[in-house]
Amino acid sequence: MSRLSRYLPILDWGRRYDRGALSNDLIAAVIVTIMLIPQSLAYALLAGLPPEAGIYASIVPILLYSVFGTSRALAVGPVAVVSLMTAAAIGQVAEQGTMGYAAAALTLALLSGAMLLLMGVFRLGFLASFLSHPVIAGFITAAGILIAASQLRHILGIESDGHTLIEIVASLVSNLPETNLPTLIIGVTATAFLFWVRKGLKPLLRSLGLPARAADIATKAGPVLAVVVTTLAVWGLSLGDRGVAIVGAVPQSLPPLTLPAFSPDLLGALFLPALMISIIGFVESISVAQTLAAKKRQRIDPDQELIGLGAANVGAAFTGGYPVTGGFARSVVNFDAGAETPAAGAFTAAGLAIAAVALTPLVFFLPKATLAATIIVAVLSLVDFSILRKTWRYSRADFAAVAATILLTLALGVEAGVSAGVVLSLVLHLMKTSKPHVAEVGLVPGTHHFRNIHRHEVTTDPAIVTLRPDERLYFVNARFLENLILDRVARNKEIRHVVLMCAAINEIDFSALESLEALNERLKDADIGLHLSEVKGPVMDRLKATHFLEDLNGKVFLSQYDAWCALTEPRDTPRAAE
Amino acid sequence: MSRLSRYLPILDWGRRYDRGALSNDLIAAVIVTIMLIPQSLAYALLAGLPPEAGIYASIVPILLYSVFGTSRALAVGPVAVVSLMTAAAIGQVAEQGTMGYAAAALTLALLSGAMLLLMGVFRLGFLASFLSHPVIAGFITAAGILIAASQLRHILGIESDGHTLIEIVASLVSNLPETNLPTLIIGVTATAFLFWVRKGLKPLLRSLGLPARAADIATKAGPVLAVVVTTLAVWGLSLGDRGVAIVGAVPQSLPPLTLPAFSPDLLGALFLPALMISIIGFVESISVAQTLAAKKRQRIDPDQELIGLGAANVGAAFTGGYPVTGGFARSVVNFDAGAETPAAGAFTAAGLAIAAVALTPLVFFLPKATLAATIIVAVLSLVDFSILRKTWRYSRADFAAVAATILLTLALGVEAGVSAGVVLSLVLHLMKTSKPHVAEVGLVPGTHHFRNIHRHEVTTDPAIVTLRPDERLYFVNARFLENLILDRVARNKEIRHVVLMCAAINEIDFSALESLEALNERLKDADIGLHLSEVKGPVMDRLKATHFLEDLNGKVFLSQYDAWCALTEPRDTPRAAE
């Protein structure tokens, strides 16, 4: 693979494109396009944007991703969580329905795209790994609940707002008396139908003899059926006149050329939200891409993925869209429908462009309640509280991180929730390493092995304390070890030698080095030797570049057994060991 | 030691207080009081507060610390770095010289005191260890430069402001033409004299036969001499009329009872600065306390220190002071002068109270230039760029953290600098652990030992890959290891078994567990066995609580040698190893 085709993966797969791949890609594109039309409208609604923004955000971004992205099956466009985060971010700087709101969505997409591109260029894809799995799972679950709750207003046909669960519920309850009955009937029926499609249709189709893959795809087309039926109902029964909110006029046009707003205030206000949207979007996208690639033994390059997603978002910013990423549902459908290359995405974009020009009048009577129903059914499948039970059983620290993420996302909104989850994961990790396990070890009789004196029958010497810290030594735990050793020595006046068994020490940073130097001085004052054993190669190389080993009031032993033999034999002052 | 005396250390040392300790403490108190009078005035000037605030901040806080603190020699009061941080924090919410400015200083002290108390109650003393030694060293150096630069205006007798080096220098340069010559002469002379006292006086006194300790203390009294001489000069030559800025009227009074301001806006604006002042102050104080305690083999309890410092700051808030902490210079003088118990601090407080009531008229003609000179000489001794050289040689990551801290503190101010240092230290640590060292190992012939195949002559088997990750497995590196193993396996089609040698794995968190589960599935699909060896006890206990071991497509071996024997002998499919 040449250097250029690394940055332009299209050069790689495009060269080997043939008729077989073309027909597979075309079939997949038709299926995905049909599925994407209602989904794009729905997610635009969730983001608080006009419906066409969802369609536009699915056209140019897909094209750009197909040029720069590395996944063969990933379908890029609006997704539920990012749409919710977009609404939360823009809601703070502009009023929904205003020109400023749509312009801010463009700015958000541009900022997010620029950040993703920068992260890609500087190969910072690893930053996504700072989000732990439980935090992501908790966040997705809480975001799913928030999204479903926020869509209830469309099912009920009332006004409501809010970015936290309490705000949303309070707003819903206070407006409940204004519920519109026809809307409620459409909304509940559509929701029930879509749940049935998801749970009951596939087994039914299978029992009727349809192959598994066809049954799967038919199931995914359920929303299209709901859209068609409820649109016809609203049109036929003139439900629009009876208070049912409908999509209304959508411009018949290709994606327009748009210019994001650029005021410093706006950029400042959207900076952090854009960063979070970038990271969350990247994590979601890379998870989907890697899962699908693994099934076909293909490789995903995370840094190039950042560039692909960055280009897609920049594209969204200039063509009337809003932040996009690789979506789970649409990518799986694309994959299952047989997409072989990113060309399938390009064909999908073409299909959506045709829809944007030709089909938008057909959705005039589409009730918003149906779109809300498709969102609710889609996001509730993301809600999974089992992560709480699993982490509780496995590790309280992981449980704390996931519980905090869920509670804070629900109580304070998406940004606070995911930030808290990340910070808590890192702090809990640092706390764990700040008080590392330090085993006091002794010789297992008849062997050269040293084991924890509290777990095994071992030989010890009252004049020698051997400690094995099970952690890298760095600033967070440097003083802990120093204090632990000084306390241990202070408890027992017979001690003449302290041996640090360094087999599990993968690094000694500068703070820890200073701490060891201080420890050495303190032990020297007390006429106690400080020795090291089993120091790893890279750690030793660094120590040799300092004065520490020269000043050490003791020796460095290759093996702990050597240390034991040397220090027990002569029974002398520490100086003799030098 | 009873539970009560743990929280009230005074009950412990107070019970055993005798005449010998009393006389030692009294002598130390006299010496420290004399040194503290100019120092307190100077630091108040640095914080932008009226001079008496420095005196008040040295009285009640010392008394409270002597009741709650655990250090025998720590002297609590205004210190240079905290004074600078106070000026930076309050400068953002109020104008210097206004009532609001002084009231905000009280609020800052109260907030900081409350935070320290809370951290103490919740035993969060370990949080201070998140500041690495190089970051602290870099921060102190940069803060010293900022402080010295900010005091140049008093030496020149001009106006200037700014919280970053560029702002300060630009402001100085633009006002340079207004330099006041008499002020400049006093300032430069005082500075030169104080530098000479620090470098040249002690050797001189020693050569005149004075004992080392007495010479030390006389050296520390240098500022008092400078104060007396320059005050007399200003008074005698009426230099106040020639534009020399003087301290002026200081109220003759004991510390007044004051009430901090409490508006929500103010509390919000001061929250983060108060947190940083608390942490930086605590780190400075605990370092001094532990250094001094070590010399006498005494113990410091970090969590109780938080309570002592918290009480001192709350005291400062209600008695006209501003944030305080344990200072290096004053504590060392206290220690060298022979202080045996915190009673020395109480006597110092009494001495300062007498000074506040009786001596303040004497400082009317004291030139601010002299105070600035004492500050400059004191803080320049903190400036030490050798940390850059040392860390560069030892570890580039530590160097990056210290260099960023210094540059950002100078360029953006104290808060941005220290925040950047902390964040960078943590991120660099996470980056290091995100791509851990993973050794591929083989059997050292004739032994049961396994070593890195790239460093030693070892026996390997083409069907077996044994990898030893030298790091705890957690969310930051979970996917790295998964990808590394899949890449390794993909490179070589002969591989039938992957053995993870877990001797250096101190933890497997939930994310890493999920990663291992995914890895196991992927390897199972490829008909490759996944085995573990030398799993540590606590790690094994956790794994046993999950389904991982049941689903594992391979075995868990107690030792790597057992794994080797079992997997090389039968030469069979992985299933046979179960």
Side-chain angles (χ1 to χ4, degrees), chain B residues 17 20-36 72-75 211-221 292 295-296 328-341 343-345 347-348:
Chain B
Y17 203 63
L22 174 68
S23 80
N24 282 334
D25 285 347
L26 272 175
I27 292 168
V30 170
I31 295 168
V32 174
T33 304
I34 293 171
M35 170 199 166
L36 280 196
R72 297 295 177 90
L74 196 71
R213 202 177 119 187
D216 257 347
I217 292 171
T219 307
K220 294 290 194 296
L292 297 181
K295 294 193 183 180
K296 290 201 173 174
F328 183 72
R330 59 177 66 194
S331 300
V332 170
V333 171
N334 196 32
F335 182 85
D336 287 347
E340 284 198 19
T341 73
F347 300 144
T348 304

Side-chain angles (χ1 to χ4, degrees), chain A residues 98-421:
Chain A
T98 63
M99 283 297 291
Y101 192 90
L106 301 175
T107 308
L108 192 64
L110 184 65
L111 268 176
S112 170
M115 287 172 181
L116 288 163
L117 284 172
L118 274 179
M119 288 197 272
V121 169
F122 289 106
R123 314 194 75 70
L124 300 179
F126 70 89
L127 281 180
S129 63
F130 286 14
L131 279 167
S132 75
H133 295 199
V135 164
I136 297 168
F139 175 69
I140 297 283
T141 287
I145 294 172
L146 275 184
I147 292 169
S150 78
Q151 294 308 300
L152 283 179
R153 62 189 164 125
H154 295 299
I155 301 287
L156 296 164
I158 59 179
E159 292 291 313
S160 95
D161 51 16
H163 293 302
T164 72
L165 193 59
I166 296 163
E167 284 171 13
I168 293 171
V169 170
S171 179
L172 281 176
V173 169
S174 70
N175 291 316
L176 208 53
E178 281 137 50
T179 300
N180 179 276
L181 194 63
T183 306
L184 185 63
I185 292 170
I186 294 174
V188 170
T189 311
T191 308
F193 170 72
L194 290 172
F195 267 118
W196 173 77
V197 164
R198 199 169 267 264
K199 303 278 175 194
L201 181 61
K202 194 174 151 191
L204 182 70
L205 293 175
R206 292 300 307 276
S207 70
L208 295 176
L210 217 64
R213 204 178 117 188
D216 255 346
I217 291 171
T219 306
K220 293 290 196 295
V224 177
L225 191 62
V227 162
V228 171
V229 171
T230 56
T231 303
L232 289 175
V234 170
W235 174 67
L237 304 173
S238 300
L239 293 179
D241 302 335
R242 300 188 49 194
V244 174
I246 55 176
V247 167
V250 176
Q252 272 182 279
S253 138
L254 285 174
L257 192 65
T258 50
L259 207 62
F262 271 118
S263 81
D265 278 358
L266 187 65
L267 291 177
L270 294 182
F271 185 86
L272 272 184
L275 187 63
M276 288 201 211
I277 287 174
S278 303
I279 292 178
I280 294 283
F282 175 60
V283 168
E284 176 168 357
S285 185
I286 197 93
S287 310
V288 177
Q290 284 181 331
T291 305
L292 298 181
K295 294 193 182 180
K296 290 200 173 175
R297 308 232 161 186
Q298 291 160 348
R299 293 282 306 151
I300 298 297
D301 173 358
D303 293 314
Q304 184 60 31
E305 279 302 284
L306 283 165
I307 290 176
L309 292 176
N313 275 290
V314 171
F318 289 102
T319 58
Y322 70 98
V324 295
T325 192
F328 182 72
R330 58 176 65 194
S331 300
V332 170
V333 171
N334 196 33
F335 183 85
D336 287 346
E340 284 199 18
T341 74
F347 300 144
T348 304
L352 285 168
I354 294 169
V357 172
L359 305 182
T360 48
L362 301 181
V363 298
F364 187 91
F365 288 109
L366 170 57
K368 288 187 173 176
T370 306
L371 293 178
T374 65
I375 296 178
I376 289 174
V377 173
V379 296
L380 284 186
S381 71
L382 303 175
V383 174
D384 177 9
F385 283 106
S386 72
I387 187 72
L388 282 173
R389 184 172 39 77
K390 287 188 210 153
T391 49
W392 174 261
R393 254 198 245 142
Y394 187 70
S395 143
R396 296 296 186 275
D398 282 312
F399 173 80
V402 66
T405 307
I406 292 179
L407 287 177
L408 290 173
T409 303
L410 293 178
L412 301 177
V414 281
E415 289 172 9
V418 76
S419 310

Side-chain angles (χ1 to χ4, degrees), chain A residues 432 470-472 506-507, chain B residues 432 470-472 506-507:
Chain A
K432 280 189 261 182
D470 286 342
E471 190 62 66
R472 62 168 59 219
N506 300 311
E507 194 208 355
Chain B
K432 280 188 259 180
D470 287 341
E471 190 63 67
R472 62 168 59 219
N506 300 313
E507 193 208 354

Side-chain angles (χ1 to χ4, degrees), chain A residues 490-557:
Chain A
R491 277 212 312 276
N492 200 325
K493 300 296 173 200
E494 284 176 277
I495 297 168
R496 303 259 54 82
H497 300 283
V498 173
V499 185
L500 270 189
M501 187 176 165
C502 303
I505 297 177
N506 300 311
E507 194 208 355
I508 295 179
D509 84 346
F510 192 77
S511 300
L513 174 69
E514 290 194 327
S515 217
L516 286 178
E517 285 172 342
L519 179 67
N520 182 48
E521 285 306 311
R522 298 278 293 278
L523 291 178
K524 193 188 272 179
D525 288 349
D527 206 21
I528 296 172
L530 176 64
H531 312 269
L532 307 180
S533 74
E534 309 198 0
V535 182
K536 295 196 172 187
V539 174
M540 196 65 188
D541 292 345
R542 281 220 182 142
L543 290 181
K544 279 181 179 159
T546 71
H547 290 284
F548 177 68
L549 297 178
E550 293 163 32
D551 299 339
L552 188 67
N553 184 35
K555 279 178 98 173
V556 178
F557 297 97

